[in-house]
Amino acid sequence: MRALFALFVGLVLQLAPVISRSHAGGVLKETAFNENFYSFYIVDDRAWIVGYYGAILHSPDRGLTWQIQQSPLHNASFSVRFINREQGWIAGRSGTILHTTDGGKSWRAQPAGTTEHLFGLAMLDESHGWAVGSRGTTLRTENGGRSWTSSSIPGDFTFSAVAFVDRSRGWIAGEFGVIFQTLDGGKTWLKQKSPIEVAFSSGESRNLFALQLNGLDSGYAFGLDGLVLKIRAGTGWEVVRQRSAENKSAEANHLFAAAMSPGQIWAVGERGSLLRSDPDGKHWQQVKAAIPRVSLNGIAFGKNGFGLVVGNRGVVLRTEDGGAAWKRLKIDSRVSTKDLGRVP
């Protein structure tokens, strides 16, 4: 697997091992609260976190308390999405797709028809969803995941992110800076002009890891060395932030995830990067605080200012005021959180 995979999962050098069911309970109990967290999702006051050993953590109260939810598989999980408080999906290693209809009290495996790793997941409603991953894997479902259909995309790219603005129109992004668009619900994909795309033979790395779309004419892509692209008229992209002589190394860390809050855009990445920008995406600033210098892999906001950031080594940051201040939480086996201090 090329360098994109290791970078996307927080610069981890190898995949999580498959844990045998006979030892899964003990391993998860010991690791679930301090493993590398890769993704999470917020619905109202509820939140779900997934990570390296396939643990699923759930909070019913805006991150104040947490509990482990049982999973039929314990492969590394890279993405989790919910459409409401009850229905959600998880995508991960070796074609893993899990589905719940009861808020995660029970999870069931769905047949993806692939053993490729699935890094990106998008669900619009209880029927329509998409998943992307290694070796150009691009899947869609129109029946809530009971079956998944593969789309053919030329090239052996690894895709990291997928995002849709409606049932028909969506984008995927990944290795070598490639961006594809669909206008027919993922049945076919057309390559868009990317200002950073390079050929495999070039030996360069221009990988994209995250998409944040807010309509046909408003959206961003994030990648290596602090790169930020902005969509133009729904069909083209322009660079609004990139590594340069003016950018110090601390300002050019790889960016793995992004989110929107009222009046601001946020991005997180390696070495504790927690960035925010004004709505045009041109002026990014690192949040000045004693944030652990580990990879931060996910960020999202819920209602009434509630938001979370998750990362490697069990790092969880929480805000109740839309990001004006963050508190680091320590989630432990007593399924409660401890406030480790204010992150201004």
Side-chain angles (χ1 to χ4, degrees):
M1 188 68 64
R2 292 184 290 259
L4 172 67
F5 174 72
L7 287 169
F8 178 68
V9 296
L11 301 180
V12 176
L13 297 180
Q14 62 182 8
L15 283 169
V18 177
I19 304 171
S20 66
R21 296 187 64 86
S22 61
H23 298 289
V27 173
L28 284 177
K29 183 177 180 180
E30 294 177 3
T31 64
F33 301 101
N34 60 8
E35 67 173 277
N36 293 346
F37 296 138
Y38 293 142
S39 179
F40 71 98
Y41 204 79
I42 296 174
V43 178
D44 299 328
D45 292 340
R46 299 187 181 188
W48 293 261
I49 298 175
V50 299
Y52 188 93
Y53 283 105
I56 306 170
L57 302 183
H58 172 243
S59 172
D61 52 12
R62 298 169 70 87
L64 295 177
T65 61
W66 295 85
Q67 58 190 215
I68 298 175
Q69 295 188 329
Q70 296 301 311
S71 168
L73 302 173
H74 298 294
N75 293 346
S77 299
F78 302 123
S79 188
V80 56
R81 296 291 183 269
F82 275 73
I83 60 168
N84 53 43
R85 295 164 64 93
E86 304 300 327
Q87 283 216 64
W89 289 260
I90 292 171
R93 173 184 166 142
S94 302
T96 295
I97 297 181
L98 304 179
H99 178 226
T100 182
T101 58
D102 55 14
K105 295 177 183 177
S106 62
W107 290 88
R108 294 178 175 84
Q110 292 187 326
T114 182
T115 57
E116 296 297 330
H117 311 305
L118 301 176
F119 300 129
L121 180 64
M123 301 298 302
L124 277 185
D125 52 41
E126 63 183 10
S127 298
H128 298 83
W130 299 264
V132 299
S134 56
R135 298 186 183 276
T137 300
T138 308
L139 307 177
R140 77 178 192 278
T141 181
E142 296 180 345
N143 56 17
R146 291 191 298 274
S147 62
W148 293 81
T149 302
S150 177
S151 296
S152 177
I153 296 182
D156 184 20
F157 304 109
T158 293
F159 295 126
S160 304
V162 56
F164 274 72
V165 296
D166 56 35
R167 290 184 183 179
S168 299
R169 295 166 290 186
W171 287 259
I172 56 177
E175 200 168 19
F176 305 118
V178 298
I179 302 174
F180 287 81
Q181 182 188 33
T182 182
L183 299 175
D184 58 10
K187 296 176 182 178
T188 59
W189 294 87
L190 300 175
K191 183 184 286 188
Q192 292 193 305
K193 182 175 177 57
S194 169
I196 63 160
E197 182 178 348
V198 293
F200 172 76
S201 59
S202 70
E204 295 185 63
S205 296
R206 295 288 184 89
N207 304 325
L208 295 171
F209 300 120
L211 291 166
Q212 178 62 46
L213 296 172
N214 308 295
L216 280 177
D217 298 316
S218 177
Y220 298 87
F222 302 81
L224 286 180
D225 298 326
L227 176 75
V228 181
L229 304 181
K230 184 176 183 179
I231 198 168
R232 295 184 291 103
T235 57
W237 298 80
E238 63 181 357
V239 176
V240 294
R241 186 180 192 268
Q242 64 181 336
R243 188 172 189 171
S244 66
E246 291 74 26
N247 269 358
K248 307 297 184 182
S249 59
E251 298 174 334
N253 295 322
H254 310 321
L255 300 177
F256 298 135
M260 297 287 294
S261 68
Q264 291 184 315
I265 310 169
W266 297 79
V268 296
E270 64 170 345
R271 298 188 179 94
S273 295
L274 174 56
L275 308 180
R276 59 187 171 196
S277 172
D278 49 11
D280 66 7
K282 294 183 178 180
H283 303 95
W284 293 86
Q285 293 183 329
Q286 167 73 23
V287 172
K288 303 297 183 181
I291 300 172
R293 289 180 62 81
V294 299
S295 290
L296 302 179
N297 304 318
I299 181 171
F301 292 88
K303 294 182 177 179
N304 302 318
F306 171 48
L308 293 174
V309 170
V310 300
N312 286 3
R313 301 179 186 175
V315 168
V316 179
L317 306 178
R318 179 176 178 268
T319 183
E320 283 282 357
D321 53 18
W326 296 85
K327 296 179 180 179
R328 184 181 173 188
L329 304 179
K330 174 62 176 178
I331 305 176
D332 60 29
S333 58
R334 293 185 297 275
V335 296
S336 64
T337 57
K338 297 178 180 179
D339 178 5
L340 294 188
R342 185 181 180 90
V343 181

